[in-house]
Amino acid sequence: MAKAADIPVETTPLEWDASLWRTAIAQLEQALPVASIDPGIAERLRNPEHAVLVSVPIHMDSGEVKVFHAYRVQHSRVLGPTKGGVRYDPHVSLAECAALAMWMTWKCAILRLPYGGAKGGIRCNPRELSIGELERMTRRYTQELRGVIGPQEDIPAPDMATDEQTMAWMMDTYSMQVGHATPEIVTGKPISVGGSVFRHEATGAGVVMVVERACQRLGWELAGQRCIVQGFGKVGGIAASELVERGAVVTGIADYSGGAFSEEGLDLAALARWTAEHGGLADFPGVVTHTTNAELLELPCDILVLAALEGQVTGVNAGRIQARIVAEGANGPTTIEADAILAERGILVLPDILTNAGGVTVSYFEWVQDLGRLFWDRDDIRHRLAEKMCDAFDRVWDLAERERLTPRSAALVLGIREVAAALEARGLFP
Ligand code: NAD
């Protein structure tokens, strides 16, 4: 057996060098020649600035002690504190958090928010945990991140399987540590503790603002377009109802348990009631055709909204996607191979770092309101969000047209250039 000392250092992969991270790096490398930034700055952008691994021990309801593995990665702090969600999922890893943190950096930069990117998560199956276990796990995770997160350092938000309640526990734990209420430590909180109106709807609403803007640029009416939405949670559920409000027809929707399809359009309210009561769409008794997740993605539609999880359209199924537009509400739902196939087939992909940026934008509004202790109303926030999303969309679209890029490449180039300009101006310490 080889001794550790015999293994060349360069063959030992870095801790975050796996799976999704490779997608994020490959995208960065593809964009760098177009972005044409200083090589030293490019090298800094290839690496997350901080990556933290913590063990989170809790008492389970059974009395047994269980340890969960958890992460927080901060990609770039040049523009301000880092910002990013916390996810509870059995597949969370340092690599996944590092990739998502990098994408958050580009996303914040594209939207011109004074933040860098971060992401964190706990490796667990949230559906198997009781409320009490979730609370103890969240509070201990927050405690373990003391000194890592902070209103001027790194501001968490909800992501997969975390919600307003999770953020309230994090806010309370941090506030108890510092001795006073600190609402600006997290975003996506309940309104009663400094949350912002419209934060809950912001990502899904932002997805539809981008889809609508794309339709305008293509000379299409959004009303009447047939849409399939993968994911029936915070992003997919809201995006589906926003689409219907604008006259589009949602024919298909899926959650972890499977998909439901109806040529005439789905009754979203009935599906939401059923899901709330039974935990999933699988056995919904209404007049729908039940499909697997994979089947639903391949059904004909005009707009396919991917709002569940990463790696859903791949080199294997991209050739069978029958949509005209793929809108990425989730982070990283289209692999690099799929991206190339979709581009070749003339399917427009609205990239995640632009399309799902509504959440972090209203999170930014929430943080600003918390810091100022002054709150805005719903119409004001919706209006400010639409302005920011449309401005970012137009800059991406115009760059794509000018430099003959896909919207994803254009978005990456824009984001990279914004961050590079800040690194250039600040220089390298010391
Ligand atoms: P969520 O937990 O509220 O919803 C996720 C949905 O996906 C659920 O309906 C779940 O059942 C479904 N799902 C899980 N596995 C699935 C599978 N294999 N096939 C089909 N559906 C499946 O999470 P969310 O906040 O809506 O996040 C969804 C995605 O959007 C994630 O990639 C997240 O990173 C991204 N995102 C979320 C926000 C936000 O503000 N919540 C912002 C930006 C990006």
Side-chain angles (χ1 to χ4, degrees):
M1 205 171 76
K3 285 194 229 120
D6 299 334
I7 302 172
V9 173
E10 58 273 21
T11 60
T12 310
L14 287 168
E15 288 71 11
W16 52 81
D17 182 15
S19 59
L20 209 58
W21 172 254
R22 298 210 172 151
T23 305
I25 278 287
Q27 288 178 352
L28 173 64
E29 296 299 347
Q30 279 179 5
L32 279 174
V34 188
S36 63
I37 61 169
D38 177 84
I41 287 178
E43 181 60 5
R44 290 172 69 186
L45 293 176
R46 283 188 188 100
N47 297 282
E49 288 184 10
H50 277 182
V52 181
L53 244 156
V54 292
S55 297
V56 178
I58 64 159
H59 280 291
M60 304 298 282
D61 292 346
S62 64
E64 167 206 9
V65 171
K66 203 167 167 186
V67 176
F68 294 92
H69 299 110
Y71 312 90
R72 186 76 185 166
V73 178
Q74 299 162 344
H75 174 254
S76 169
R77 296 167 299 162
V78 66
L79 285 164
T82 49
K83 187 88 193 77
V86 173
R87 53 171 57 182
Y88 293 170
D89 187 80
H91 305 290
V92 175
S93 66
L94 196 68
E96 184 177 288
C97 291
L100 292 162
M102 181 186 271
W103 284 325
M104 279 302 288
T105 297
W106 312 143
K107 194 182 297 182
C108 293
I110 293 164
L111 269 290
R112 297 199 165 140
L113 308 178
Y115 291 139
K119 203 71 164 196
I122 306 182
R123 191 180 291 196
C124 65
N125 186 342
R127 285 183 283 275
E128 284 174 359
L129 298 174
S130 70
I131 289 283
E133 289 165 342
L134 282 169
E135 175 172 357
R136 293 193 288 281
M137 188 179 76
T138 302
R139 288 183 180 279
R140 185 60 190 252
Y141 175 61
T142 310
Q143 169 63 33
E144 294 297 334
L145 291 183
R146 183 91 209 262
V148 174
I149 58 170
Q152 298 301 333
E153 287 79 22
D154 181 6
I155 307 142
D159 194 83
M160 274 165 67
T162 56
D163 57 14
E164 295 183 351
Q165 180 60 71
T166 322
M167 293 305 113
W169 290 327
M170 290 191 84
M171 179 267 187
D172 183 65
T173 306
Y174 185 88
S175 298
M176 296 309 284
Q177 288 168 348
V178 297
H180 53 85
T182 313
E184 58 272 25
I185 177 62
V186 287
T187 59
K189 304 174 288 293
I191 290 171
S192 58
V193 289
S196 175
V197 287
F198 204 63
R199 171 61 186 86
H200 179 74
E201 299 95 315
T203 308
V207 168
V208 178
M209 287 171 186
V210 167
V211 167
E212 192 168 34
R213 197 76 169 177
C215 287
Q216 279 169 9
R217 288 291 191 117
L218 294 166
W220 306 359
E221 282 283 331
L222 177 53
Q225 301 293 334
R226 306 178 72 72
C227 309
I228 289 179
V229 181
Q230 188 199 37
F232 198 26
K234 294 184 288 294
V235 182
I238 299 288
S241 40
E242 290 269 331
L243 283 166
V244 169
E245 260 173 46
R246 285 167 171 75
V249 187
V250 174
T251 55
I253 198 140
D255 69 7
Y256 74 95
S257 67
F261 181 83
S262 163
E263 199 63 54
E264 285 70 47
L266 295 165
D267 179 349
L268 293 175
L271 286 161
R273 276 194 304 274
W274 177 267
T275 307
E277 246 176 72
H278 300 88
L281 290 167
D283 303 316
F284 178 69
V287 195
V288 298
T289 308
H290 285 281
T291 68
T292 64
N293 266 304
E295 286 163 354
L296 192 82
L297 294 185
E298 297 175 17
L299 293 176
C301 64
D302 298 301
I303 299 164
L304 174 62
V305 179
L306 300 173
L309 64 175
E310 57 282 335
Q312 295 303 293
V313 180
T314 65
V316 175
N317 63 358
R320 299 194 294 264
I321 298 294
Q322 301 188 58
R324 296 196 288 165
I325 293 181
V326 172
E328 296 186 328
N331 289 308
T334 310
T335 64
I336 290 262
E337 299 77 34
D339 228 13
I341 296 168
L342 295 176
E344 205 179 286
R345 295 183 57 217
I347 297 173
L348 175 68
V349 178
L350 299 172
D352 47 6
I353 52 175
L354 168 68
T355 310
N356 69 28
V360 69
T361 303
V362 176
S363 274
Y364 163 63
F365 296 159
E366 180 176 334
W367 180 70
V368 167
Q369 293 171 82
D370 287 336
L371 287 170
R373 303 291 194 264
L374 184 68
F375 292 87
W376 310 336
D377 70 24
R378 192 185 166 79
D379 287 347
D380 195 3
I381 294 174
R382 195 179 174 110
H383 176 72
R384 286 174 193 254
L385 174 65
E387 263 187 354
K388 279 246 170 235
M389 296 300 290
C390 291
D391 169 59
F393 178 91
D394 289 347
R395 281 184 285 112
V396 168
W397 193 270
D398 292 344
L399 180 69
E401 283 192 338
R402 211 168 46 242
E403 301 199 22
R404 295 178 166 278
L405 302 169
T406 61
R408 186 186 315 283
S409 302
L412 280 164
V413 167
L414 258 188
I416 291 165
R417 282 182 183 160
E418 295 270 345
V419 184
L423 285 167
E424 184 86 49
R426 285 183 56 170
L428 178 56
F429 178 84

